[in-house]
Amino acid sequence: MIRKLRPEDRAGWQQLYQGYQAFYGFHERPAEFYDKAFARLMAADTRDFHGFVADVDGQLLGLVHYVFHPNLWRDEGVCYLQDLFTAPEARGKGVARGLIEQVYAAADKAGVPAVYWLTAEDNYAGRMLYDRVAVKSPFIRYNRKV
Amino acid sequence: MIRKLRPEDRAGWQQLYQGYQAFYGFHERPAEFYDKAFARLMAADTRDFHGFVADVDGQLLGLVHYVFHPNLWRDEGVCYLQDLFTAPEARGKGVARGLIEQVYAAADKAGVPAVYWLTAEDNYAGRMLYDRVAVKSPFIRYNRKV
Amino acid sequence: MIRKLRPEDRAGWQQLYQGYQAFYGFHERPAEFYDKAFARLMAADTRDFHGFVADVDGQLLGLVHYVFHPNLWRDEGVCYLQDLFTAPEARGKGVARGLIEQVYAAADKAGVPAVYWLTAEDNYAGRMLYDRVAVKSPFIRYNRKV
Amino acid sequence: MIRKLRPEDRAGWQQLYQGYQAFYGFHERPAEFYDKAFARLMAADTRDFHGFVADVDGQLLGLVHYVFHPNLWRDEGVCYLQDLFTAPEARGKGVARGLIEQVYAAADKAGVPAVYWLTAEDNYAGRMLYDRVAVKSPFIRYNRKV
């Protein structure tokens, strides 16, 4: 079952989010990184992030975080799906697809149907799914040098 | 001179923004597309878009639009540079670089130093500049199918 | 066992090669396409293609074809691995890796250690392996318009 | 005028080829690198490399090197355009386009119409031309680790 993230999900959510951060090489985020992110997800601020989790008999198997933000080309803005993660033992069962589709539904309900995300070019496992539920654009990301 | 976009820039700004939209294949945006975008840029809403222009003796030679939006990994959020355009006759003179650097300065002032943008993989002329003032990430964009 | 392709492999080889051609969208190659390719592989011409197959108890589970060709930057030339295919039911067992490594060994024996191949950017399953046994270069292929 | 490379072109050819090698980061090729390459180009071996140069009033402004090699999918093989370079001071005048088109003509004459080349993804200036005279394929190159 895909459902909204709830306060009692704190421990299970963090385990998943740590897995996601590790995938991108961030193995040692401080505790406060997770505290702040969870607090923001719980704040229900329409301009900040929201989260869904895949809950199977009380066990959390996946998460997704998204936010609506302005876009000058569209009055209603766009929906940015920033984080998506499935527990390694639950892969290949449609969890990630279900999470993405729940974001699509939430975006439609909010009147912001344009959903997008960014992924590493070599995130092969992710892209196998993304090519089925979305369309690769020709756009690549540049970051200011730090 | 790079300066903030002002109400009296309406005509010159639209000419530039039409050139930018045409670059991405949108040759026939309705008048209200430009009306709305300009109104938003003038509203000075800290959560919506802002603009700078390159003004040389009263002639507008380039524009840039940016917005701050939340990011779950960073408390202060990020700065998205959505639109950047230099008039064809003014290319190769540092206009685009100046516009990007002005966004960097504005982002620093706002306490949101992480600036990013997206560009088409085959925007060769743009990327010649971007490789000098920024870093290509391995991230590519996926869009929900429409 | 990875071994050289032999005349008696004709039927099993064609089944594999048809699977490979279908992967790239060529479902209807005429019979002579396969006749000619097999004849060339059997000719043992040092300047034409060679093949290896993965033979498990007499069943062919994978193939690889390679050729040596001149390169102006290297006296000894280079080795182009053009075709690589594993039967769908035999995936994830190291067959493709074994075939690639056999080509590496043959290339070393021939004094032509530089082996390369081309693959579609979205051949995710292949690239999961290639990233382990080789290095992605920044080079992309352009073809004359037909 | 685009014409075949000739023995008396040795000095002018090397100046161009050094510029090309430097573009790819090879600033210090030994003298014998150039000796061998030139000797091979002069040998008129149908299985080895051939060259054309752009000669304007006796000054060499560009070069191209190509070779025919086997391809298992095509009886007649393919034509690999390995090296292409225009003197910096002669850019934007159609020299590179003329060199590519001469290779196309030579390939047609040889009955090997399929011409291809590889280029770095960020060779923006080159790709501006290549997108006009050829088609970017989705194929990327992997190299054996050295």
Side-chain angles (χ1 to χ4, degrees), chain C residues 36 47 71-72 75 82-83 108 113 117 119 121 131-132 135 137-138 140-145, chain D residues 36 47 71-73 75 82-83 108 115 117 119 121 131-132 135 137-138 140-145:
Chain C
K36 285 181 180 175
R47 299 205 180 194
N71 182 293
L72 198 57
D75 289 347
Q82 184 173 9
D83 303 322
D108 284 339
W117 58 90
T119 198
E121 189 272 337
D131 283 348
R132 291 198 297 271
V135 178
S137 83
I140 60 176
R141 177 171 170 151
Y142 272 85
N143 293 321
R144 181 184 188 178
K145 281 175 198 154
Chain D
K36 284 181 182 175
R47 299 205 181 195
N71 183 293
L72 199 57
W73 300 23
D75 290 346
Q82 183 174 8
D83 303 322
D108 284 339
V115 180
W117 58 91
T119 198
E121 190 271 336
D131 284 347
R132 291 197 297 270
V135 178
S137 83
I140 60 176
R141 178 171 169 150
Y142 272 85
N143 293 320
R144 181 185 189 178
K145 281 175 197 153

Side-chain angles (χ1 to χ4, degrees), chain B residues 121-122 124-125 127-128 131 136, chain D residues 121-122 124-125 127-128 131 136:
Chain B
E121 190 271 336
D122 64 353
Y124 307 129
R127 292 181 62 192
M128 285 181 188
D131 283 348
K136 177 182 176 286
Chain D
E121 190 271 336
D122 63 353
Y124 307 130
R127 293 181 61 191
M128 285 180 188
D131 284 347
K136 177 184 177 285

Side-chain angles (χ1 to χ4, degrees), chain C residues 18-50:
Chain C
Q18 283 174 330
Y20 179 75
Q21 292 291 328
F23 176 77
Y24 282 110
F26 300 101
H27 297 271
E28 301 291 339
R29 296 284 198 194
E32 66 176 0
F33 175 86
Y34 296 99
D35 291 344
K36 285 181 180 175
F38 196 76
R40 289 171 61 183
L41 289 160
M42 286 299 106
D45 177 345
T46 57
R47 299 205 180 194
D48 206 348
F49 278 84
H50 314 284

Side-chain angles (χ1 to χ4, degrees), chain C residues 88-125:
Chain C
E89 67 274 18
R91 301 226 170 121
K93 296 174 180 169
V95 171
R97 176 191 279 265
L99 290 161
I100 291 170
E101 289 175 349
Q102 195 77 359
V103 173
Y104 286 175
D108 284 339
K109 197 174 164 192
V112 186
V115 180
Y116 77 95
W117 58 90
L118 304 175
T119 198
E121 189 272 337
D122 63 353
N123 178 10
Y124 307 129

Side-chain angles (χ1 to χ4, degrees), chain B residues 14-28:
Chain B
Q14 183 163 333
Q15 194 171 358
L16 290 168
Y17 203 32
Q18 282 174 330
Y20 179 75
Q21 292 291 328
F23 177 77
Y24 282 109
F26 300 102
H27 296 272
E28 301 291 338

